[in-house]
Amino acid sequence: MSDRMRIALLLAPAMTVIVVLFFGGLAVGVMRSFNWMPVIGLTEPNLDAYRAVLSDPDFLRSFGLTLYISITSTLISAVIAIAAALLLRQSFAGRGAINLLFQLNLTVPHIVGAIGVLYLFSQSGFFARMAFHIGLIARPAEFPALVFDPFAIGIILQYVWKEVPFIGVIVLAQMQALGTDYESVARSLGASRWQAFRHVLLPLILPGVLSASIIVFAFTFGAYEVPLLLGASHPQALPVLAYKTYTDVDLAARPEAMAMAVVIALLSALMIWAYLRATRARLRS
Amino acid sequence: MPAFGPPLASLFLSGVHDFASGEEPTHNEAQGLKSVPSLPVEYHVHRKCSNVAHVMLDICSTYRTTKTTKSGVNVMRILTVTVLLGLSTAAPSLADTADGASLVGQDWEAIVEMARGGEVNWFMWGGADNINIYVQDFVGTILMNEYGITLNQIPLADTVEAVNIVLGEKEAGNLDAGSVDMIWINGENFRTMKQGGLAWCGYTDRLPNNALVNWDNPVIANDFGVPVDSCEVPWNRAQFALAHDSATLPEPPRSIPELIEWIKANPGQFTYPAPPDFNGSVFIRHVFYYAAGGVDNLLGDFDQAKFDAAAEKTWAILNEIEPSLWREGATYPTSINQLNELFANTEVAFTFNYDPSQFGIAVDAGIYPDTVRSFGLVDGTIGNTNYTIIPFNSPNKAAALVLQNLLLSAEAQLEKARPEVWGTSPGIEMDRTDAAAQEAFAALPSHPSVISAAELGKAALPELQAGWISAIEQGWLANVGN
């Protein structure tokens, strides 16, 4: 057996799963999004579903909301993560314990985090109850709406809580690999602490921050469970809207649901491409 | 949807009996309407099953059932039935009572004698052990001991399978030797049976226990908006109720107009889940009935003109109360669980459910306070009924009649109402039964937080046909929930 043959055989199980399940499902989804569903008599592919979806104000509002959630969550997470990494790379008493605490919620599933946000920040949650006991509010409705709210504060809170350690760990590893030599040189040549960070360290860690942020953006754009649990009834995040359309009693809505899913997939593909470019830039640096 | 033929329509909302989990059927029945179309895999299987050559239909259904049946005994039963079906043409059964027309001419004693020593194949959803035990042990034992009839319970994952068998038999020309003698059914599957001429009709007044059924009740006389027309016999009921905390709100509003006034006077303390949540959708239908000036005008097929008139008023009412809802109506709960959570945390003053026993369960679990009580509305709340039906080509109609009559009896309905047996609401009027049965029924342990089915049933409203329900849901999303 030649080496190529052996490699092909060894890869076969994994590739079968990827090709058949992933690309198979993707292909069926794409076909249905083009209104091609012979089983219910749709045999002439067309772009009706895309036309309907892209001209639907509900879809556009959902798209805008999802974009807003992803961008805001990613930006806030990245800023806090860099700040945290700067602190954590210094040596201080109890650093090990703090480091562990910082990374602890990496293992907590998003859905658990979402329930936690609900219990803490809802109008009858932990903080609302505290506010009631110290006399700040008299009724649940007087507590600011932080979940199911139009600004998606609850959703963003959950993502920030979950993604700060993710970006932070990557950035911290990068900072530790770089060491402090470059910054020391800059400082010895008269740069302020801020200048040393802004012009020396930040450009060095930027590719890492970027690639981690792209992963976070792509994930939050396609995630379903957090906006489902913490989002308002209208507009809904794109994945929630897509699933709702998919489960509509009217089977004719299926192609539109698939068109939405394809839009989400396309955007994620774009993110993967951007991620690959960013990583290559990082390797070059 | 209009492009699809009848087979698809029949499986489309087949979920009325698609009890996917082991939960109590009355509850699931309600949910089923929504759940089936969301399962694309099921859809393909159905499609395949309903489109293969007619001869294949039995095998197809048998395969599906076999796959989803836990017990090997049940599989054997299905195979036996299928084999018997094949043999029955060669050796005619001893007591063939396929001729329904001549059967209804007989008196009851003669029908019982014709049924004696025979068997009856009852196809029913089989996903809940307590129901299977009730049917096999309690009903099956009486049927054997008192009438010598063997009860073959054929468990299904989805009632549409049985409907497809009957449909396939009819198309294959099997008009008097079908394999299905009785089906547990309601909603869309009943409509398919009736539209396809698959049901045996016009016999229900032959059953002695038919006197216990209140056919004047629209919830019983109509099965999801389709008139029953003596084609099926009621078995159980489910009905919508609201819940409030009697400690903070001793006198809740008891009609839709009163509730609307209450909401305006108490801003922020009421909301309802957005459709497609099933319970939110039922709540909106109550407002829709009120806006339409009653439900009588809405029964039957979907009517765009009638819908438009009532819908306009409904959206006006719901938009008018919106600023007084929880969060000023800027958002709605997206599931009944979210509403229950808001109610448990006293953010809102009401929750509601198609299955009022849920309130008692939540109180016992410590989620709601003990002071929670439930109530119906003076103009009635929406209920639905599930039934047993006899296919037109059943060769054991006499035995099926005896079984239906037994199921309607005070004894069988009482046993079924026991919380430890099943706890479902009777399909008959218990106050029409004898004193002993009434006494025993009244003595059944009840939960203080759960309104009794009898109390609730005093004012009941029928469900609408599927066309109405989806039009109301879509109209709400476009006009209120945006």
Side-chain angles (χ1 to χ4, degrees):
Chain A
M1 197 184 289
S2 72
D3 277 359
R4 280 183 71 159
M5 189 71 177
R6 193 179 309 144
I7 291 168
L9 271 176
L10 288 172
L11 278 176
M15 290 315 284
T16 310
V17 171
I18 293 171
V19 171
V20 174
L21 294 185
F22 179 72
F23 286 104
L26 198 64
V28 171
V30 169
M31 282 193 305
R32 290 205 179 157
S33 75
F34 288 118
N35 255 315
W36 194 75
M37 209 167 156
V39 75
I40 60 167
L42 297 173
T43 49
E44 282 172 32
N46 57 48
L47 290 169
D48 286 357
Y50 288 94
R51 230 170 266 136
V53 162
L54 293 175
S55 62
D56 178 5
D58 269 359
F59 172 82
L60 298 175
R61 251 175 280 171
S62 288
F63 189 84
L65 174 78
T66 314
L67 217 52
Y68 153 78
I69 292 174
S70 294
I71 292 173
T72 318
S73 313
T74 310
L75 277 179
I76 298 177
S77 302
V79 169
I80 300 179
I82 294 170
L86 284 173
L87 290 175
L88 285 173
R89 71 170 176 167
Q90 290 161 13
S91 47
F92 52 87
R95 187 183 140 193
I98 298 283
N99 217 335
L100 183 74
L101 274 177
F102 181 67
Q103 298 176 22
L104 201 61
N105 66 357
L106 279 175
T107 57
V108 180
H110 273 275
I111 197 159
V112 175
I115 302 278
V117 167
L118 204 57
Y119 280 170
L120 290 176
F121 295 101
S122 82
Q123 286 176 312
S124 50
F126 178 77
F127 292 117
R129 280 161 205 254
M130 297 275 281
F132 175 78
H133 280 296
I134 59 172
L136 282 176
I137 60 169
R139 291 175 49 229
E142 290 171 21
F143 192 78
L146 299 176
V147 293
F148 316 128
D149 61 302
F151 302 106
I153 296 170
I155 300 172
I156 294 169
L157 266 175
Q158 200 281 338
Y159 283 148
V160 168
W161 169 82
K162 180 78 179 148
E163 304 302 356
V164 160
F166 174 73
I167 303 180
V169 164
I170 292 174
V171 173
L172 184 61
Q174 210 178 3
M175 283 182 185
Q176 280 164 342
L178 286 167
T180 52
D181 294 353
Y182 294 107
E183 286 160 277
S184 305
V185 171
R187 294 276 284 153
S188 72
L189 293 173
S192 69
R193 283 173 73 116
W194 167 250
Q195 283 170 323
F197 168 74
R198 170 69 188 82
H199 297 290
V200 178
L201 183 61
L202 194 60
L204 286 171
I205 59 168
L206 203 57
V209 173
L210 210 62
S211 53
S213 298
I214 288 167
I215 294 177
V216 169
F217 183 93
F219 175 81
T220 52
F221 195 84
Y224 169 77
E225 70 274 35
V226 176
L228 178 78
L229 283 170
L230 300 176
S233 62
H234 185 92
Q236 291 177 310
L238 213 46
V240 179
L241 183 72
Y243 186 73
K244 195 173 85 176
T245 314
Y246 181 69
T247 53
D248 196 297
V249 283
D250 188 358
L251 283 183
R254 291 285 162 90
E256 287 179 25
M258 288 305 164
M260 289 184 204
V262 169
V263 169
I264 298 172
L266 274 179
L267 218 107
S268 301
L270 199 72
M271 287 295 131
I272 293 168
W273 176 77
Y275 170 79
L276 290 175
R277 273 189 63 124
T279 356
R280 245 179 271 136
R282 181 175 156 193
L283 284 178
R284 272 200 300 272
S285 74
Chain B
M1 217 192 122
F4 313 141
L8 184 60
S10 73
L11 62 88
F12 186 45
L13 284 174
S14 60
V16 209
H17 266 297
D18 179 51
F19 312 138
S21 66
E23 283 176 59
E24 193 186 338
T26 47
H27 185 59
N28 276 319
E29 227 141 52
Q31 311 285 7
L33 199 72
K34 279 272 144 195
S35 68
V36 158
S38 69
L39 300 170
V41 181
E42 285 283 300
Y43 162 68
H44 279 296
V45 177
H46 287 324
R47 187 68 195 174
K48 213 171 95 202
C49 283
S50 58
N51 266 4
V52 281
H54 307 139
V55 198
M56 293 289 289
L57 260 157
D58 274 344
I59 298 163
C60 181
S61 295
T62 307
Y63 163 71
R64 286 259 293 135
T65 317
T66 311
K67 218 177 65 171
T68 46
T69 309
K70 282 176 223 153
S71 145
V73 180
N74 293 331
V75 176
M76 284 313 293
R77 248 187 220 153
I78 296 156
L79 292 176
T80 314
V81 169
T82 316
V83 171
L84 281 176
L85 173 69
L87 292 176
S88 61
T89 43
S93 145
L94 212 66
D96 190 320
T97 52
D99 185 356
S102 75
L103 199 61
V104 285
Q106 310 276 345
D107 60 19
W108 182 249
E109 284 70 28
I111 293 174
V112 171
E113 280 318 306
M114 287 162 90
R116 197 170 292 280
E119 60 174 9
V120 54
N121 299 315
W122 184 6
F123 286 60
M124 61 182 285
W125 175 76
D129 287 342
N130 61 330
I131 300 174
N132 294 339
I133 290 168
Y134 167 75
V135 167
Q136 285 165 11
D137 292 359
F138 184 82
V139 177
T141 306
I142 297 180
L143 207 58
M144 175 52 82
N145 291 348
E146 293 187 13
Y147 304 97
I149 298 170
T150 307
L151 171 61
N152 299 321
Q153 183 207 15
I154 293 93
L156 303 170
D158 191 330
T159 304
V160 74
E161 295 162 11
V163 176
N164 282 342
I165 294 175
V166 181
L167 186 70
E169 286 172 351
K170 182 173 185 177
E171 287 175 331
N174 178 350
L175 304 181
D176 55 6
S179 51
V180 185
D181 296 319
M182 199 165 107
I183 310 172
W184 180 20
I185 201 163
N186 77 357
E188 210 59 22
N189 286 314
F190 171 63
R191 192 168 73 166
T192 308
M193 293 281 289
K194 208 180 163 204
Q195 280 178 343
L198 307 177
W200 178 40
C201 297
Y203 64 87
T204 50
D205 56 357
R206 300 304 303 161
L207 304 172
N209 285 333
N210 187 55
L212 303 176
V213 177
N214 180 10
W215 287 108
D216 293 331
N217 184 346
V219 175
I220 290 186
N222 298 281
D223 184 344
F224 275 76
V226 178
V228 168
D229 288 344
S230 195
C231 296
E232 57 180 0
V233 172
W235 194 25
N236 313 294
R237 267 185 277 178
Q239 196 175 344
F240 181 88
L242 297 101
H244 67 111
D245 184 352
S246 60
T248 52
L249 180 66
E251 279 305 316
R254 291 188 187 267
S255 70
I256 292 294
E258 277 179 38
L259 179 63
I260 291 167
E261 288 314 310
W262 188 93
I263 292 167
K264 288 184 199 161
N266 299 275
Q269 297 191 52
F270 184 89
T271 191
Y272 53 93
D277 176 78
F278 181 80
N279 282 288
S281 175
V282 175
F283 172 78
I284 294 166
R285 285 204 287 287
H286 283 90
V287 179
F288 188 83
Y289 287 13
Y290 164 69
V295 69
D296 298 345
N297 213 13
L298 311 175
L299 298 176
D301 288 334
F302 179 73
D303 181 318
Q304 189 70 46
K306 287 180 190 170
F307 172 80
D308 289 343
E312 200 181 323
K313 284 186 214 162
T314 309
W315 313 146
I317 294 171
L318 292 175
N319 280 321
E320 192 193 336
I321 61 170
E322 196 172 70
S324 309
L325 294 179
W326 173 76
R327 293 277 180 91
E328 284 92 44
T331 186
Y332 290 83
T334 47
S335 70
I336 190 65
N337 298 336
Q338 268 186 24
L339 179 66
N340 291 340
E341 193 82 0
L342 294 176
F343 178 68
N345 289 324
T346 69
E347 286 193 54
V348 295
F350 298 94
T351 187
F352 40 73
N353 210 294
Y354 219 127
D355 179 6
S357 68
Q358 297 297 315
F359 306 138
I361 292 168
V363 168
D364 289 344
I367 297 167
Y368 299 164
D370 296 340
T371 44
V372 163
R373 296 290 177 271
S374 46
F375 62 100
L377 300 171
V378 285
D379 299 328
T381 56
I382 297 175
N384 74 53
T385 308
N386 51 74
Y387 303 80
T388 57
I389 197 167
I390 302 175
F392 77 103
N393 64 349
S394 154
N396 302 309
K397 291 197 176 73
L401 287 178
V402 172
L403 174 55
Q404 279 187 327
N405 194 56
L406 170 62
L407 292 176
L408 283 181
S409 68
E411 185 191 9
Q413 291 277 336
L414 179 66
E415 175 74 10
K416 181 167 68 65
R418 293 185 197 284
E420 72 276 15
V421 175
W422 184 353
T424 182
S425 296
I428 60 168
E429 302 300 308
M430 288 311 288
D431 55 14
R432 296 189 186 184
T433 60
D434 60 50
Q438 285 190 40
E439 211 171 293
F441 187 70
L444 286 181
S446 64
H447 197 289
S449 299
V450 181
I451 182 173
S452 78
E455 182 66 29
L456 204 54
K458 283 177 185 165
L461 300 169
E463 267 293 3
L464 297 179
Q465 288 190 17
W468 290 92
I469 295 177
S470 58
I472 294 172
E473 290 183 356
Q474 277 164 18
W476 185 89
L477 291 172
N479 294 287
V480 183
N482 54 8

